[in-house]
Amino acid sequence: MNHEEMLTLIKTRRSCRSYRPDAVPEDVLDKVLEAGTYAPTGGGRQSPVIIAVRDSKLRSELSAMNAEIMGGDSDPYYGAPVVVLVLAEGNTFVEDGTCVLENLMLAAHAMGLATVWVHREREMFDNEKGKALLREWGLPETLRGVGAVALGYAAQEPVEAAPRKQNYIVKL
């Protein structure tokens, strides 16, 4: 991929809020997840943990946890067949996890998949129910939720990007 193709990839990625139920092939998912591991992290600590959830029961449980925090009961993951949680620890956990989430979304777009960043994972894993899941998964309770990516094949074509704000870039 040359620099122009990379810039086009960045400019054409869109958030998707409607997914087909089709499973994401294992090799495609692996490539997307691997891209997340190459995100920069503070001090090179590589603190983020990426959790790919494909199990429908667990996915439903996570959806309900997130929706409860949101104050509703709709699926915050929009029916995507995969939910990728990103948790991290340390004083740069937000920044580290954010870089991982961006890498995941760009890699997914490059592989023909759709994504949307979903919030409230911090609240989900800062409470006892979330800590219990971390213990069940054999992960440290010191991990903090940064966000999640709903991942799958889009049910419809994405809309074109809105024009960028005039004052978005300031050169001094």
Side-chain angles (χ1 to χ4, degrees):
M1 175 178 291
N2 66 38
H3 67 280
E4 288 299 327
E5 291 169 327
M6 184 63 192
L7 291 172
T8 298
L9 183 78
I10 291 168
K11 291 176 182 179
T12 58
R13 196 214 70 80
R14 293 286 158 270
S15 293
C16 174
R17 291 176 178 82
S18 179
Y19 294 85
R20 298 190 329 236
D22 313 24
V24 175
E26 192 80 18
D27 62 323
V28 173
L29 179 60
D30 287 346
K31 289 176 183 174
V32 171
L33 298 174
E34 181 184 27
T37 70
Y38 282 89
T41 59
R45 287 185 292 275
Q46 299 182 29
S47 78
V49 173
I50 302 166
I51 303 164
V53 178
R54 297 172 295 171
D55 177 80
S56 61
K57 183 175 180 250
L58 178 56
R59 193 206 159 288
S60 293
E61 181 180 350
L62 293 169
S63 177
M65 286 172 65
N66 191 306
E68 182 180 347
I69 292 163
M70 190 170 49
D73 61 0
S74 63
D75 178 13
Y77 304 114
Y78 302 99
V82 181
V83 173
V84 183
L85 304 168
V86 176
L87 297 91
E89 58 189 349
N91 63 339
T92 58
F93 83 97
V94 171
E95 295 85 351
D96 294 350
T98 298
C99 289
V100 169
L101 287 157
E102 180 70 6
N103 272 22
L104 291 170
M105 291 187 295
L106 289 174
H109 182 47
M111 300 295 295
L113 297 168
T115 58
V116 65
W117 182 322
V118 179
H119 291 283
R120 294 168 297 280
E121 279 66 28
R122 186 172 313 163
E123 296 90 338
M124 288 169 61
F125 289 94
D126 277 357
N127 70 37
E128 184 48 42
K129 191 183 283 187
K131 299 292 182 197
L133 283 174
L134 292 174
R135 286 191 298 273
E136 181 182 323
W137 300 337
L139 296 169
E141 291 182 46
T142 52
L143 288 170
R144 309 273 319 271
V146 178
V149 170
L151 177 76
Y153 293 99
Q156 56 201 22
E157 288 297 314
V159 298
E160 195 169 310
R164 302 294 95 179
K165 297 186 313 186
Q166 293 298 320
N167 61 349
Y168 201 80
I169 298 171
V170 177
K171 293 182 182 179
L172 303 173

